[in-house]
């Protein structure tokens, strides 16, 4: 039995990564599409909701920029700021985005 953790494909953090050109292969979807009895079988996928909440724009830009820093063409802070304003702003003036995790067990 093997266990690993992946970002959920439907999380805000993965949508942001795709927006800025990052690859987001769907490993769980690929494994689920294989016939039973192949070399790898998914035993379970437990999805755990998680969120990053910040009271200000500067902090959310810092966190989001860190998450995007591995891209070969990482976006400028101004681009991340624009994205955060459009997608992560909350009604109370803060910012929030999901970074939901899939805990996968395979054999």
């Amino acid at each position: 039995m093997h266990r690993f953790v992946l970002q959920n494909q439907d999380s805000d953090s993965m949508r942001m990564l795709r927006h800025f050109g990052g690859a987001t292969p769907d490993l769980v979807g690929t494994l689920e599409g294989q016939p039973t009895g192949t070399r790898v079988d998914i035993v379970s996928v437990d999805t755990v909701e998680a969120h990053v909440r910040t009271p200000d724009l500067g902090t959310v830009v810092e966190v989001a920029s860190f998450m995007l820093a591995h891209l070969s063409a990482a976006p400028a802070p101004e681009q991340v700021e624009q994205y955060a304003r459009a997608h992560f702003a909350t009604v109370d003036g803060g910012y929030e985005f999901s970074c939901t995790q899939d805990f996968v067990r395979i054999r």
Side-chain angles (χ1 to χ4, degrees), residues 24-43:
T24 60
D26 184 6
L27 182 58
V28 172
T30 300
L31 292 174
E32 287 176 336
Q34 292 184 359
T36 303
T38 56
R39 288 178 47 125
V40 176
D41 287 324
I42 291 181
V43 174

Side-chain angles (χ1 to χ4, degrees), residues 1-2 9 11 18-19 22 26 30 35-36 39 48 61 66 70 73 75 82 86 91-92 94 97 100 105 107:
M1 185 85 54
H2 300 281
Q9 289 291 310
S11 68
R18 286 189 293 272
H19 174 82
D26 184 6
T30 300
T36 303
R39 288 178 47 125
V48 177
V61 169
F66 175 79
H70 73 283
Q82 183 180 15
V91 295
D92 65 358
F97 64 94
T100 300
R105 291 188 318 154
R107 71 174 152 201

Side-chain angles (χ1 to χ4, degrees), residues 4-69:
F4 56 99
V5 180
L6 300 169
Q7 282 282 332
N8 181 279
Q9 289 291 310
D10 295 326
S11 68
D12 294 330
S13 58
M14 291 299 271
R15 280 191 281 279
M16 176 179 66
L17 182 61
R18 286 189 293 272
H19 174 82
F20 288 110
T24 60
D26 184 6
L27 182 58
V28 172
T30 300
L31 292 174
E32 287 176 336
Q34 292 184 359
T36 303
T38 56
R39 288 178 47 125
V40 176
D41 287 324
I42 291 181
V43 174
S44 67
V45 177
D46 296 313
T47 301
V48 177
E49 197 170 322
H51 296 267
V52 172
R53 292 184 183 106
T54 68
D56 60 86
L57 182 61
T59 304
V60 77
V61 169
E62 186 175 339
V63 172
S65 294
F66 175 79
M67 296 176 85
L68 298 168

